[in-house]
Amino acid sequence: MNAVVTWLRDRIPVDLDSFRELTNEPVPHHLKRWWFCIGGTPAYLFVVQVVTGILLAIYYESSTQTAYESVRYITEEAAFGWYLRGLHKWGATLMIAAVILHQMRVYFTGAYLKPREPNWMVGMALLMSTLMLGFTGYSLVYEQLSFWGATVAANLTGSVPVVGSVLRELLLGAETYGRQTLPRFFILHAAVLPVLLILLLGVHIALIRLQGVTEFRFESEKDVPQKPFNFWPDHAYTEILIGLILMILLSTLATALPVTMGPKANPLVTPEVIKPEWFFYVAFRWLKLFSGTFAILSTGFIVFVMFAWPFIDAWIRKKTRFTEASVWIGIFAVLSIIGLTVWEALVEH
C-alpha cells in the first residue's frame, strides 16, 4: 500500500494531508440532525436522474413521429424499462420537492443573510433549472396532455412583452409546435440543463466551502457545548444512509405506482382539461386568475423578488422595525403556494 501511495505521490504532486484537510471540513454540530442533511438529497437524486436518463436515452427517439412509440416500448417491452422509467419519473418528483424544501429551510433559518446573498441567488437558479428539467422531461413523452401543456407554456412565453416572440421561437424552433420542437426539448433536457445544473451546483458547493455552513444553536442547547465534527465519517454516513433510504423509496414508488401512458398527442384535438405537472399548478392557477399581460408581468415580478429577497430583507431590517417580517411573509407565501396548488388540483378547469 505504501508503495502505491509513493508511486502516486511521485506522479501526482498533491499533498495528501492538504487534500484530506480540504475535503474533510469540520461540520457544525446541528448537522447531526438528519433533517439538516436535506441539502444533499437533490444532488443524490440528480445522480439517479443522470444514470436512469442515460439508460432511457438508449431507446428514446426525439421525433414527433417516433417519440411516443419509443416511450411505449420502454414502458411495456424493454427489459426493466418500466422500472427505469419509474425511477426517472419519481426521482424527478422527489428532486423538485427536495429542492423546494431545501430552499424553504434556507429561507426560514435566514441562511441567506450577508455574506450568503450570492449563494441564495445560485440556489434560486438551481430551483428554476430543476423546474425546467421537469417541464422538458414531461414534454418528451409526447402524450396529449404533455403536448398541449407545452403549447400553452409556449403561448404564455410568447406573451412576455418585447422578447416573448423570440423566446417562444427559441423554445419551439418555430412559431408553433412542430417537428423541431421535440429535438429542442430533448437537447435542453439531456444536455443544456444538466450541464447548467452541474455548473451551478459546483458554484453552490464552492461558496459553501468558502463561507462555511451557517451554524444554528437551539434554545434547548444554549448551555451545552457544541463542537463541530468531521465530514468524514460521521456526516458522510448520514448522507449515505439517506441515499439508501431514498433508493428504497424510489424502488417502492416505481413498483407500487408504475408510470403509465396517456393517449398520444393529437395537434388537431384540444383536450377538455389541460393541466401541467403538479409543480406548475401554482403558476397555472395564478395565470388563470389574472389572465393577460398582468399575469405574465406579475409572475416575472414575483420571480425577481424571490431572487433579490436577501437584499430586500436586509433593507427591511435596516430601514424599519419589522426585523422578523421575512418569517410572516414566508408563512404567507407558503400558505398561498399550498392553497393555489390544492385549488388547481381539485378543480377540473
Side-chain angles (χ1 to χ4, degrees):
M1 188 63 188
N2 287 336
V4 173
V5 172
T6 304
W7 188 90
L8 285 171
R9 276 184 173 168
D10 289 343
R11 285 151 185 81
I12 307 173
V14 175
D15 184 343
L16 291 181
D17 291 334
S18 299
F19 182 75
R20 192 178 296 115
E21 186 180 342
L22 183 69
T23 56
N24 199 22
E25 181 189 18
V27 179
H29 184 269
H30 73 271
L31 282 176
K32 286 194 171 182
R33 294 169 174 80
W34 68 267
W35 59 85
F36 275 102
C37 300
I38 202 169
T41 302
Y44 173 81
L45 291 168
F46 179 59
V47 173
V48 173
Q49 293 305 93
V50 170
V51 173
T52 54
I54 290 171
L55 294 172
L56 292 173
I58 293 172
Y59 295 103
Y60 181 72
E61 298 175 47
S62 60
S63 157
T64 52
Q65 302 299 316
T66 56
Y68 184 85
E69 179 58 28
S70 65
V71 177
R72 190 206 62 75
Y73 178 81
I74 291 169
T75 309
E76 299 177 4
E77 297 185 35
F80 294 102
W82 62 271
Y83 178 67
L84 289 172
R85 192 176 166 222
L87 289 182
H88 199 71
K89 170 77 174 179
W90 285 109
T93 299
L94 293 184
M95 183 176 165
I96 290 168
V99 173
I100 293 171
L101 288 175
H102 177 57
Q103 201 74 352
M104 285 171 61
R105 200 280 295 164
V106 171
Y107 179 90
F108 281 108
T109 55
Y112 55 80
L113 294 173
K114 183 182 178 182
R116 296 183 172 82
E117 301 98 325
N119 221 5
W120 166 267
M121 298 174 80
V122 172
M124 282 302 305
L126 279 166
L127 173 60
M128 296 298 156
S129 301
T130 306
L131 291 174
M132 279 301 295
L133 267 174
F135 166 72
T136 50
Y138 174 62
S139 302
L140 290 179
V141 184
Y142 202 59
E143 293 173 335
Q144 183 74 325
L145 280 182
S146 65
F147 170 85
W148 285 101
T151 301
V152 170
N155 291 337
L156 291 171
T157 305
S159 304
V160 176
V162 184
V163 295
S165 58
V166 176
L167 292 176
R168 181 176 58 193
E169 193 157 340
L170 277 174
L171 185 66
L172 298 180
E175 288 190 4
T176 58
Y177 200 120
R179 63 187 180 86
Q180 296 293 332
T181 305
L182 267 186
R184 290 203 175 205
F185 282 173
F186 184 59
I187 291 170
L188 277 173
H189 185 75
V192 177
L193 290 169
V195 169
L196 177 62
L197 211 67
I198 290 169
L199 292 175
L200 288 169
L201 202 56
V203 175
H204 193 57
I205 293 171
L207 286 172
I208 291 172
R209 190 71 183 83
L210 289 170
Q211 296 168 336
V213 179
T214 310
E215 292 191 39
F216 300 106
R217 184 175 284 269
F218 296 89
E219 287 289 331
S220 58
E221 298 176 343
K222 271 189 174 176
D223 300 325
V224 180
Q226 297 190 348
K227 294 182 180 176
F229 60 100
N230 288 332
F231 179 86
W232 180 266
D234 293 356
H235 190 68
Y237 283 167
T238 306
E239 293 283 3
I240 291 170
L241 181 62
I242 290 175
L244 290 173
I245 292 171
L246 280 171
M247 206 59 232
I248 294 170
L249 177 61
L250 280 176
S251 293
T252 304
L253 288 169
T255 307
L257 299 170
V259 182
T260 56
M261 299 282 295
K264 185 180 178 180
N266 185 346
L268 301 177
V269 178
T270 308
E272 275 192 40
V273 179
I274 300 174
K275 281 184 185 287
E277 286 285 85
W278 66 270
F279 43 86
F280 281 122
Y281 276 7
V282 57
F284 204 53
R285 174 49 51 183
W286 181 266
L287 293 170
K288 284 180 181 175
L289 285 175
F290 305 100
S291 57
T293 305
F294 175 78
I296 299 295
L297 291 178
S298 60
T299 302
F301 178 73
I302 291 170
V303 173
F304 168 76
V305 169
M306 290 168 70
F307 267 90
W309 182 252
F311 306 101
I312 298 171
D313 187 28
W315 184 88
I316 294 173
R317 287 170 186 269
K318 187 176 179 181
K319 298 290 184 182
T320 74
R321 58 188 177 86
F322 303 110
T323 56
E324 299 298 327
S326 63
V327 176
W328 297 107
I329 291 172
I331 292 172
F332 173 75
V334 170
L335 291 177
S336 299
I337 290 169
I338 293 173
L340 290 171
T341 300
V342 172
W343 185 359
E344 180 59 32
L346 294 179
V347 299
E348 195 166 330
H349 294 284

